[in-house]
């Protein structure tokens, strides 16, 4: 019992460290990018979008090196499920209805759905090859290039003067980036180690803990961004956040760790979590066709997530 308490505390502390360090890293990197004259739009597309998914990416890479690669797939699937059901559900309750102003149907929604199905097709044979990882990473590169090219039209020429006046390199932010990178690494390392120990003590598969506790924890940055944006009257940021995060998780968080080592694809995650992810992706696609998510739809999303967590631990 003492070992369980000890490693549970380590898990909570290390996960908190991972999330906060990622937050500091993202904020500092964003300020460095802007200070170098990079447009805020490009900073958002690259640094901020990747930064909110940094916990998933780093913890997945560490899991491969610690011979716990089954955590990677569980983490990706669980995080994407939490993003759809928990985060969109939260946004729709805070701001009812959650209205979506920008066009999703042209590229973002198809890529969102496509990334989930591509992930499914690549793992159905219980194997995720290096070539499949490269295809996934290239898919994300194409998505980023499209987003950048479409965003150029929205960049005003008045930003040019600001770029020329913001060329000084902020030393403080560079120090924060370096220090936070170290804490991201340490947080991820002990998060994965504690998950391994807890799974051994409770005799629960590591991928199931990754599918639930780790996935929920690493989705906290997206949840915090959602709540903050909703309170500020910008709840649709949650939609873009979920779209970008899920695409990144499916394509990059799966792809990059595979380039560092083999990934174990657990059958129970394919048979359970992956089906829930596909169902959630399809639900999200149809719910957003009228450019809004109502409170009742958000409550249904919550019910789905509650059932999903209960089903993992045999509570329903």
């Amino acid at each position: 019992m003492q070992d369980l308490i000890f490693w549970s505390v380590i898990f909570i502390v290390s996960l908190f460290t991972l999330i906060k360090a990622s937050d500091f890293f993202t904020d500092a990197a964003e300020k460095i990018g802007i200070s170098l004259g990079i447009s805020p739009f490009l900073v958002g597309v690259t640094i901020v979008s990747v930064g909110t998914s940094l916990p998933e990416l780093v913890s997945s890479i560490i899991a491969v090196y610690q011979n716990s690669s089954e955590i990677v797939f569980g983490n990706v699937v669980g995080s994407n499920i939490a993003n759809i059901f928990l985060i969109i559900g939260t946004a729709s309750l805070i701001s009812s209805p959650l209205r979506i102003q920008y066009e999703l149907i042209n590229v973002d929604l198809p890529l969102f759905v496509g990334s989930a199905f591509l992930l499914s097709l690549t793992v159905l044979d219980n194997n995720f090859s290096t070539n499949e990882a490269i295809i996934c990473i290239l898919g994300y590169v194409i998505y980023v290039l499209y987003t950048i090219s479409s965003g150029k039209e929205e960049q005003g020429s008045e930003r040019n003067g600001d770029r020329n006046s913001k060329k000084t390199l902020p030393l403080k932010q560079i120090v924060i980036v370096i220090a936070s990178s170290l804490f991201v690494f340490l947080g991820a390392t002990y998060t994965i180690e504690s998950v391994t120990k807890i799974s051994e003590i409770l005799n629960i598969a590591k991928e199931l803990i990754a599918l639930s506790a780790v996935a929920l924890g690493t989705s906290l940055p997206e949840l915090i961004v959602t709540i903050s944006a909703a309170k500020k009257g910008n709840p649709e940021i949650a939609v873009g956040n979920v779209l970008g995060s899920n695409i990144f998780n499916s394509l990059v968080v799966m792809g990059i760790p595979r380039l560092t080592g083999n990934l174990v694809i657990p059958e129970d995650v394919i048979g359970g979590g992956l089906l829930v992810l596909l169902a959630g992706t399809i639900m999200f696609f149809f719910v957003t066709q009228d450019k809004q998510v109502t409170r009742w739809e958000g409550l249904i999303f919550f019910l789905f997530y509650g059932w999903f967590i209960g089903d993992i631990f045999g509570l329903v």
Side-chain angles (χ1 to χ4, degrees):
M1 187 63 183
Q2 289 182 340
D3 287 343
L4 178 60
I5 294 175
F6 173 77
W7 285 110
S8 296
V9 172
I10 294 296
F11 172 75
I12 294 172
V13 172
S14 58
L15 187 60
F16 176 80
T17 301
L18 172 62
I19 293 169
K20 290 302 295 181
S22 298
D23 194 27
F24 278 111
F25 175 90
T26 304
D27 288 343
E30 180 181 5
K31 291 176 182 177
I32 291 174
I34 294 176
S35 71
L36 292 176
I38 302 174
S39 71
F41 174 79
L42 292 182
V43 170
V45 169
T46 55
I47 297 173
V48 176
S49 63
V50 173
T52 56
S53 294
L54 196 60
E56 288 95 333
L57 178 60
V58 178
S59 60
S60 294
I61 294 173
I62 295 296
V64 173
Y65 280 109
Q66 292 190 0
N67 296 319
S68 298
S69 63
E70 61 265 44
I71 290 176
V72 177
F73 185 54
N75 190 14
V76 167
V77 172
S79 294
N80 285 5
I81 290 172
N83 285 345
I84 295 172
F85 291 131
L86 182 61
I87 292 176
I88 294 299
T90 299
S92 66
L93 292 182
I94 295 177
S95 179
S96 180
L98 169 59
R99 300 191 184 278
I100 305 166
Q101 302 298 327
Y102 49 83
E103 292 293 335
L104 296 176
I105 195 64
N106 294 333
V107 172
D108 296 272
L109 267 181
L111 275 175
F112 170 76
V113 175
S115 64
F117 276 89
L118 177 60
L119 173 64
S120 303
L121 292 173
T122 57
V123 301
L124 280 179
D125 58 352
N126 293 104
N127 180 52
F128 187 70
S129 68
T130 302
N131 289 336
E132 288 171 333
I134 293 173
I135 290 173
C136 287
I137 294 171
L138 287 176
Y140 186 75
V141 171
I142 292 172
Y143 171 65
V144 170
L145 290 177
Y146 164 78
T147 305
I148 291 174
S149 65
S150 63
K152 284 179 180 177
E153 300 176 359
E154 302 174 5
Q155 299 301 307
S157 58
E158 68 275 6
R159 294 179 187 255
N160 292 332
D162 295 334
R163 291 178 187 174
N164 295 331
S165 62
K166 295 182 180 180
K167 293 287 186 177
T168 55
L169 202 61
L171 182 61
K172 177 183 176 182
Q173 306 305 327
I174 294 176
V175 173
I176 292 176
V177 164
I178 296 173
S180 59
S181 298
L182 175 62
F183 280 101
V184 165
F185 173 77
L186 292 175
T189 299
Y190 284 102
T191 296
I192 300 304
E193 184 174 349
S194 59
V195 166
T196 302
K197 296 293 184 182
I198 291 172
S199 66
E200 292 174 354
I201 295 171
L202 296 178
N203 196 27
I204 298 176
K206 286 181 281 189
E207 62 267 20
L208 295 184
I209 297 180
L211 198 60
S212 53
V214 178
L216 179 59
T218 53
S219 293
L220 285 179
E222 286 90 345
L223 182 60
I224 292 170
V225 167
T226 296
I227 294 174
S228 175
K231 287 182 177 179
K232 293 177 181 177
N234 300 308
E236 71 168 0
I237 288 178
V239 177
N241 195 13
V242 166
L243 285 172
S245 181
N246 278 28
I247 293 171
F248 183 85
N249 288 343
S250 297
L251 302 180
V252 179
V253 176
M254 280 293 291
I256 291 181
R258 179 60 183 89
L259 298 181
T260 65
N262 291 323
L263 294 187
V264 175
I265 308 298
E267 289 188 13
D268 49 355
V269 179
I270 293 178
L274 190 59
L275 291 178
V276 176
L277 172 59
L278 290 176
T281 300
I282 294 172
M283 284 179 61
F284 184 87
F285 178 84
F286 284 110
V287 162
T288 54
Q289 290 303 300
D290 60 352
K291 291 190 174 184
Q292 67 176 8
V293 182
T294 66
R295 176 171 295 157
W296 296 109
E297 291 167 336
L299 286 173
I300 292 174
F301 277 17
F302 271 125
L303 287 177
F304 265 85
Y305 192 71
W307 169 83
F308 170 68
I309 295 297
D311 185 62
I312 288 176
F313 296 102
L315 301 177
V316 293

